[in-house]
């Protein structure tokens, strides 16, 4: 692991789920959505790498969000961040207005967030698919600020705001919020992206995004049905997969609050994060799941059907085992799953390095983890519950209904022991009955 200092920042297409759902409902496909998101993120990456080659880094694409960081002192890093964010705002408008193939899509609405601090780069090694992820308060808090920022705005941390010059500070409004209390903060600062200062002429870069968009025709994008476990390294934006299956989201609850805002315990927390991520990855693999990516301290995985294989039990077992597996580290997780149609592909400028999983079912699984799952809970959709009920009722019995989803507060070990005990009781009753009848 390598220790660095700088600004982490995120650009998120806040309404991308709506963009996807709208296109899928009207056409049954998501060609335009994938194509536009690839153009958007690839163009931002090209812009940053071209203008700031020594300090600008794209970590990864996580769904509709681009995670970047700048390794510089705080003043220099901020000047780069505002240039990139300003361009992202201009680009979002340009795609819908100037590029004809995207005019049928809903307009992209973006939100952004940034925080300065120390962090570790952790490269998770695996065959043909090494994955970089960063560990630290700055990355986690920047993600939270992005989620809090209004559409078309940039939200920054107090530490970053305090380092700005007097004139730049005038652009920002102070926001007091209880939602950031767990980060050791009580306020952040926000400004409209249009107010950000820029010293660069972005017209040529906007035109370059149009040239990039025109390189791949929408008709060249293939969506084939999976006939075996999908391999993301063989996908691209022209070679996609249409899947029936279960996306899994598993997030460590309250973990970010354990990071000191002054980075005092960063070394300790970096090791803990690495161990937890490795454990979650291994459990997914052991249950025939496909790791999609890490998102901070969150695991995203895929289980899907193909001829001769159904994924329901593998996915549920993995979710339950994850709850047990992280407890030795003194943490708890929330896990969310749903079943249905989704689309898998790869996008991005770095040889299409970033894995992308989209569709209604992905949105539902994400929501089940983020909004519905409490600590040490697996939340599943009605479709998964009904399958368990019809094929192995003892698995379904550990789940309780809540609104339109089902949840359990126990892990796999508890369920296995409960089933074993029930089988013993049933066997004993049968023996007693048979014995009495024989007499």
């Amino acid at each position: 692991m390598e220790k660095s200092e700088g600004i982490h920042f995120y650009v998120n297409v806040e309404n991308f789920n709506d963009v996807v759902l709208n296109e899928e409902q009207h056409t049954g496909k998501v060609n335009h959505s994938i194509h536009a998101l690839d153009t958007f993120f690839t163009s931002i990456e090209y812009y940053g790498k071209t203008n700031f080659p020594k300090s600008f880094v794209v970590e990864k694409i996580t769904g509709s969000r681009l995670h970047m960081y700048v390794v510089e002192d705080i003043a220099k890093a901020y000047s780069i961040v505002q240039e990139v964010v300003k361009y992202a705002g201009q680009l979002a408008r340009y795609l819908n207005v100037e590029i004809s193939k995207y005019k049928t899509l809903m307009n992209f609405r973006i939100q952004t967030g940034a925080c300065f601090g120390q962090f570790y780069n952790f490269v998770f090694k695996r065959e043909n698919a090494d994955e970089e992820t960063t560990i630290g308060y700055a990355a986690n808090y920047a993600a939270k600020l992005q989620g809090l920022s209004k559409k078309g705005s940039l939200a920054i941390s107090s530490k970053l705001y305090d380092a700005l010059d007097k004139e730049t500070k005038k652009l920002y409004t102070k926001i007091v919020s209880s939602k950031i209390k767990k980060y050791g903060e009580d306020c952040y600062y926000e400004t409209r992206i249009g107010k950000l200062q820029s010293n660069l002429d972005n017209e040529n870069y906007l035109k370059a995004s149009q040239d990039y968009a025109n390189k791949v025709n929408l008709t060249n994008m293939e969506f084939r049905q999976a006939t075996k476990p999908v391999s993301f390294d063989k996908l691209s934006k022209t070679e996609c997969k249409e899947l029936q299956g279960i996306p899994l989201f598993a997030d460590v609850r309250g973990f970010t609050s354990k990071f000191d805002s002054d980075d005092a315990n960063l070394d300790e927390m970096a090791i803990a994060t690495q161990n937890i991520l490795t454990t979650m990855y291994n459990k997914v693999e052991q249950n025939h799941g496909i790791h999609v990516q890490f998102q901070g301290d969150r695991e995203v995985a895929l289980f899907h059907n193909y001829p001769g294989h159904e994924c329901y039990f593998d996915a549920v077992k993995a979710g339950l085992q994850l709850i047990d597996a992280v407890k030795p580290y003194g943490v708890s997780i929330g896990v969310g799953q749903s079943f249905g149609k989704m689309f898998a592909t790869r996008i991005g400028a770095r040889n299409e390095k970033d894995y992308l999983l989209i569709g209604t079912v992905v949105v539902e699984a994400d929501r089940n983890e983020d909004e519905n799952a409490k600590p040490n809970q697996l939340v599943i959709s009605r479709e998964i519950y009904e399958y368990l009920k019809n094929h192995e009722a003892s698995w379904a019995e550990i789940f309780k209904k809540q609104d339109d989803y089902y949840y359990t507060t126990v892990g796999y070990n508890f369920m296995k022991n409960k089933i074993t005990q029930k089988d013993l009781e049933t066997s004993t009753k049968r023996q007693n009955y048979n014995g009495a009848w024989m007499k």
Side-chain angles (χ1 to χ4, degrees):
M1 291 189 289
E2 181 181 348
K3 197 173 187 178
S4 302
E5 185 175 60
I7 293 180
H8 279 260
F9 68 116
Y10 296 79
V11 172
N12 180 48
V13 182
E14 179 271 339
N15 66 328
F16 188 67
N17 289 338
D18 294 331
V19 174
V20 171
L21 295 179
N22 185 65
E23 182 183 11
E24 187 179 356
Q25 288 169 0
H26 284 85
T27 69
K29 295 184 178 181
V30 290
N31 304 49
H32 295 76
S33 300
I34 292 173
H35 201 290
L37 192 69
D38 176 64
T39 298
F40 184 57
F41 286 156
T42 299
S43 298
I44 293 172
E45 183 171 0
Y46 175 74
Y47 178 87
K49 278 295 187 183
T50 302
N51 290 296
F52 316 106
K54 294 182 179 180
S55 54
F56 171 85
V57 179
V58 166
E59 180 179 318
K60 67 179 66 171
I61 296 168
T62 57
S64 63
R65 186 170 67 182
L66 183 63
H67 180 187
M68 300 159 281
Y69 59 87
V70 177
V71 182
E72 289 282 2
D73 65 77
I74 193 166
K76 177 64 174 176
Y78 174 80
S79 69
I80 294 173
V81 168
Q82 73 170 350
E83 291 283 5
V84 175
V85 171
K86 180 87 171 184
Y87 172 68
Q90 295 171 341
L91 179 62
R93 292 188 296 272
Y94 186 87
L95 293 184
N96 292 114
V97 174
E98 300 296 336
I99 301 180
S100 58
K101 64 178 67 178
Y102 302 149
K103 288 185 177 180
T104 59
L105 292 176
M106 296 173 61
N107 293 345
F108 280 6
R109 299 195 302 265
I110 68 170
Q111 54 179 181
T112 63
C115 180
F116 180 86
Q118 295 181 339
F119 59 94
Y120 273 105
N121 285 61
F122 165 49
V123 179
F124 192 86
K125 296 286 187 180
R126 61 186 191 276
E127 188 177 355
N128 299 323
D130 290 352
E131 180 180 354
E132 178 188 356
T133 193
T134 49
I135 301 167
Y137 178 87
N140 295 341
Y141 190 36
K144 179 64 176 180
L145 291 174
Q146 168 259 296
L148 291 174
S149 66
K150 298 183 183 70
K151 293 183 284 289
S153 298
L154 168 65
I156 64 173
S157 63
S158 297
K159 183 176 182 179
L160 184 49
Y161 174 82
D162 290 342
L164 301 179
D165 61 65
K166 186 176 180 180
E167 288 302 310
T168 304
K169 284 181 177 178
K170 292 179 181 178
L171 302 175
Y172 286 85
T173 301
K174 183 178 180 179
I175 308 291
V176 177
S177 174
S178 61
K179 295 180 179 180
I180 54 175
K181 186 177 181 180
K182 71 176 184 179
Y183 297 89
E185 302 282 346
D186 58 11
C187 70
Y188 61 93
Y189 295 82
E190 187 176 78
T191 186
R192 299 291 296 174
I193 292 174
K195 292 183 178 180
L196 294 174
Q197 300 165 343
S198 176
N199 297 315
L200 298 175
D201 182 0
N202 295 333
E203 188 62 31
N204 288 335
Y205 292 100
L206 294 172
K207 291 179 179 177
S209 72
Q210 187 169 25
D211 294 337
Y212 177 83
N214 290 332
K215 285 182 179 180
V216 175
N217 292 325
L218 290 163
T219 54
N220 292 338
M221 297 176 69
E222 296 282 351
F223 289 84
R224 305 180 195 275
Q225 299 282 340
T227 58
K228 59 183 180 179
V230 69
S231 177
F232 274 92
D233 62 331
K234 295 180 181 178
L235 301 181
S236 68
K237 63 177 174 290
T238 57
E239 184 62 40
C240 310
K241 289 292 184 183
E242 181 179 321
L243 310 169
Q244 290 284 336
I246 298 173
L248 176 150
F249 292 85
D251 181 68
V252 183
R253 293 299 190 244
F255 198 58
T256 298
S257 63
K258 297 180 183 292
F259 283 85
D260 293 338
S261 59
D262 60 0
D263 298 316
N265 67 341
L266 179 59
D267 294 359
E268 172 191 347
M269 292 302 295
I271 294 172
T273 306
Q274 181 176 342
N275 290 336
I276 292 168
L277 292 179
T278 301
T279 297
M280 291 199 291
Y281 175 89
N282 289 339
K283 284 300 176 186
V284 167
E285 291 276 295
Q286 289 167 13
N287 288 286
H288 314 294
I290 301 162
H291 170 78
V292 179
Q293 63 181 188
F294 297 124
Q295 298 177 357
D297 53 20
R298 192 189 204 201
E299 163 71 2
V300 182
L302 166 66
F303 298 80
H304 71 88
N305 295 343
Y306 51 88
H309 175 76
E310 291 186 323
C311 66
Y312 302 89
F313 287 112
D314 286 340
V316 173
K317 183 179 178 182
L320 294 172
Q321 287 187 340
L322 285 172
I323 292 173
D324 293 333
V326 302
K327 287 181 178 178
Y329 300 106
V331 299
S332 60
I333 61 171
V335 186
Q337 300 178 353
S338 187
F339 177 84
K341 183 174 74 171
M342 67 194 107
F343 304 93
T345 187
R346 287 197 309 164
I347 65 172
R350 297 157 296 157
N351 295 317
E352 297 183 331
K353 181 179 179 180
D354 296 291
Y355 298 174
L356 188 64
L357 197 62
I358 63 174
T360 308
V361 64
V362 182
V363 177
E364 292 174 351
D366 188 348
R367 185 183 302 117
N368 279 340
E369 178 273 302
D370 185 49
E371 299 178 11
N372 299 330
K374 296 179 175 61
N376 296 317
Q377 285 190 357
L378 165 61
V379 172
I380 61 175
S381 64
R382 179 181 56 81
E383 292 85 355
I384 300 174
Y385 174 80
E386 292 294 337
Y387 184 90
L388 297 180
K389 183 179 177 181
N390 293 330
H391 292 80
E392 190 59 67
S394 57
W395 285 51
E397 287 174 0
I398 67 169
F399 289 90
K400 299 177 182 179
K401 191 176 189 302
Q402 176 74 40
D403 299 327
D404 60 344
Y405 60 87
Y406 294 79
Y407 73 95
T408 182
T409 57
V410 305
Y412 182 72
N413 291 333
F414 181 93
M415 184 188 74
K416 184 172 65 173
N417 291 336
K418 184 177 180 180
I419 293 173
T420 300
Q421 182 62 35
K422 186 176 180 180
D423 288 344
L424 286 172
E425 291 174 357
T426 301
S427 178
T428 299
K429 288 178 181 179
R430 286 175 177 170
Q431 289 174 0
N432 289 341
Y433 175 80
N434 289 338
W437 176 78
M438 287 174 69
K439 287 181 181 178

